[in-house]
Amino acid sequence: DLRSSVFVFPQESPSAHVQVTAKLEQPLSNFTVCLRSYTDLTRPYSLFSYATKTHSNEILLFKSKPGEYKFFVGDKFLLFRVPQNLESEHVCASWESATGIVGFWLNGKPWPRKGLQKGYTVGVPAYILLGQDQDSFGGSFDAHQSFVGEISSVYMWDMGISTSGVIDAMYDSPDQTPIFGWRNFPYKIVGEVYLKP
């Protein structure tokens, strides 16, 4: 149970990351990803990267600059513009294949919904990691897109969740059972990343 812990990424790195070792058996036609991050970076960086053999950006949560998130599904992306402020940011993004509708929440507040990749299916097997952007399956990182700072409260579900579910996840008490989550998080640290209270 990592509830009172965070992963600290202390410096820019061409390799350091946290691998999520959960094994996904089935392709995804719906999913939600949530996490909390805290950083003073102003350059682009990757938070959550889910790559398959065919798509390096099968799912990617990427902050391209202060005030702008990019959310990828199947190598295509949407932009979400957010206020700039130096505080920890809790972000959730959900996607459903049937409509292509993407939900996005910042600190529990929903943004206007948009559409992306209607009818698509997110593939398996996947290499899932925090703190780097994969340009190939499990590798091809760019230090200039690496995360520096703190990441915690990481969750992924194989369904959409409501705003109340997002708020529950913010406080590490999700009402829906995730594929993986912060209270039973399967991980392997690669390189210089530290788990700290």
Side-chain angles (χ1 to χ4, degrees), residues 9 13 15-19 127 132 141 188-193:
F9 297 76
S13 164
S15 58
H17 64 276
V18 175
Q19 181 188 356
Y127 196 97
Q132 294 280 1
F141 306 137
K188 184 174 97 182
I189 287 175
V190 180
E192 197 179 358
V193 183

Side-chain angles (χ1 to χ4, degrees), residues 6-11 147 149-151 192-197:
V6 300
F7 288 121
V8 179
F9 297 76
Q11 62 200 19
F147 179 78
E150 302 179 6
I151 293 179
E192 197 179 358
V193 183
Y194 301 98
L195 186 64
K196 287 294 196 184

Side-chain angles (χ1 to χ4, degrees), residues 62-189:
F62 190 85
K63 194 142 187 210
S64 33
K65 60 186 183 191
E68 187 176 275
Y69 281 92
K70 282 184 177 176
F71 176 60
F72 289 76
V73 177
D75 289 334
K76 295 190 164 61
F77 71 89
L78 291 173
L79 283 178
F80 290 93
R81 293 192 172 78
V82 300
Q84 290 184 43
N85 43 26
L86 183 59
E87 54 183 65
S88 81
E89 292 187 346
H90 182 269
V91 176
C92 290
S94 71
W95 172 82
E96 62 180 33
S97 175
T99 60
I101 287 176
V102 170
F104 185 88
W105 295 260
L106 179 72
N107 296 333
K109 181 178 171 229
W111 253 234
R113 283 172 280 196
K114 302 179 184 182
L116 182 69
Q117 292 283 50
K118 180 180 174 180
Y120 186 75
T121 304
V122 170
V124 289
Y127 196 97
I128 306 172
L129 60 82
L130 310 175
Q132 294 280 1
D133 177 15
Q134 304 176 72
D135 288 328
S136 65
F137 188 73
S140 302
F141 306 137
D142 177 351
H144 300 303
Q145 296 180 333
S146 67
F147 179 78
V148 181
E150 302 179 6
I151 293 179
S152 62
S153 299
V154 183
Y155 293 89
M156 184 174 190
W157 295 264
D158 57 359
M159 59 187 171
I161 62 172
S162 63
T163 296
S164 64
V166 167
I167 290 165
D168 290 339
M170 270 177 76
Y171 296 103
D172 290 315
S173 54
D175 54 347
Q176 308 283 354
T177 306
I179 302 171
F180 54 81
W182 209 235
R183 300 178 73 165
N184 57 342
F185 194 67
Y187 71 94
K188 184 174 97 182
I189 287 175

Side-chain angles (χ1 to χ4, degrees), residues 27-43:
L28 298 171
S29 50
N30 305 281
F31 71 84
T32 305
V33 172
C34 295
L35 59 81
R36 183 180 294 285
S37 66
Y38 189 33
T39 182
D40 60 2
L41 288 174
T42 55
R43 62 161 173 75

Side-chain angles (χ1 to χ4, degrees), residues 48 53 58 66 79 150:
F48 180 97
K53 296 270 187 352
E58 187 75 83
L79 283 178
E150 302 179 6

